[in-house]
Amino acid sequence: MTDESSVVGLARASLQHFLEKGSVLPIPVTLPEELKGQKGAFVSLKKQGELRGCIGTFRPTRSNIASEIIYNAISAGTEDPRFWPVELEELPELTISVDILEAPEQIDSVDKLDPQQYGVIVKQGRRSGLLLPMLEGVNTVAEQIGIAREKAGIRAEEEIELYRFSVTRYT
């Protein structure tokens, strides 16, 4: 995996460290500028092109982005309820991507969405669903909102609040 960015390398090192030692990788002493601030981050794992785990935070929950990635890589590999936990032997087969999220902004119209440019958050009361931008097979705003609604358990006829966000994706 020598073509991975340093951001993805951090996610991989985090998951590997956890699977080998059962503990959280310490935050590197020297951080690149893009990992020093506070933002939400998603870590996605794919195996042979199929999703194998994806967990993240849309708002910062840690002291810096590096820590956000370290914890979310572990969660994506071991806590995504849709999948069995990743085994150490699988790690070389996994393709990892990391999305660093800009703060979500509330919007008043679906016309302000573009599934190739913005992720979406749908919210109804305490339920919310999020879908990252630039996902394979998601080509329209209606598909994007429909999937986010489904993830949140929000029926099509229910009113929703809409938020959009942009990401920087690292592969």
Side-chain angles (χ1 to χ4, degrees):
M1 297 293 157
T2 56
D3 293 339
E4 290 181 340
S5 67
S6 61
V7 174
V8 170
L10 178 63
R12 185 178 294 281
S14 170
L15 185 54
Q16 182 170 348
H17 184 90
F18 185 81
L19 293 174
E20 287 176 344
K21 301 179 182 195
S23 62
V24 177
L25 180 73
I27 298 171
V29 175
T30 305
L31 292 175
E33 207 54 46
E34 68 262 25
L35 299 182
K36 289 182 178 176
Q38 287 188 297
K39 294 183 179 181
F42 270 73
V43 176
S44 302
L45 312 173
K46 286 187 175 179
K47 183 176 179 180
Q48 298 172 343
E50 299 293 323
L51 188 64
R52 183 66 179 87
C54 179
I55 286 189
T57 46
F58 68 91
R59 294 193 190 277
T61 63
R62 305 280 172 188
S63 60
N64 56 47
I65 297 168
S67 181
E68 208 78 39
I69 292 167
I70 288 169
Y71 279 89
N72 290 342
I74 294 168
S75 295
T78 64
E79 297 175 15
D80 189 328
R82 299 170 291 179
F83 304 98
W84 291 104
V86 168
E87 301 282 339
L88 182 61
E89 297 73 31
E90 291 182 85
L91 204 51
E93 302 173 58
L94 296 181
T95 302
I96 300 175
S97 63
V98 176
D99 289 88
I100 298 177
L101 282 63
E102 297 300 322
E105 62 175 326
Q106 189 167 11
I107 57 172
D108 57 7
S109 169
V110 296
D111 296 337
K112 295 178 179 172
L113 289 172
D114 175 346
Q116 297 308 312
Q117 185 175 2
Y118 298 109
V120 66
I121 298 170
V122 298
K123 190 171 180 185
Q124 207 292 323
R126 298 178 64 166
R127 296 173 292 163
S128 65
L130 178 148
L131 202 65
L132 296 169
M134 300 175 279
L135 294 180
E136 191 175 310
V138 180
N139 301 310
T140 68
V141 170
E143 289 171 331
Q144 190 181 38
I145 292 173
I147 294 168
R149 277 179 176 273
E150 187 177 317
K151 291 172 81 173
I154 301 172
R155 295 183 314 269
E157 65 274 11
E158 291 183 88
E159 293 284 324
I160 54 172
E161 295 174 27
L162 277 175
Y163 298 82
R164 72 179 185 182
F165 59 90
S166 57
V167 303
T168 301
R169 181 164 292 160
Y170 295 89
T171 56

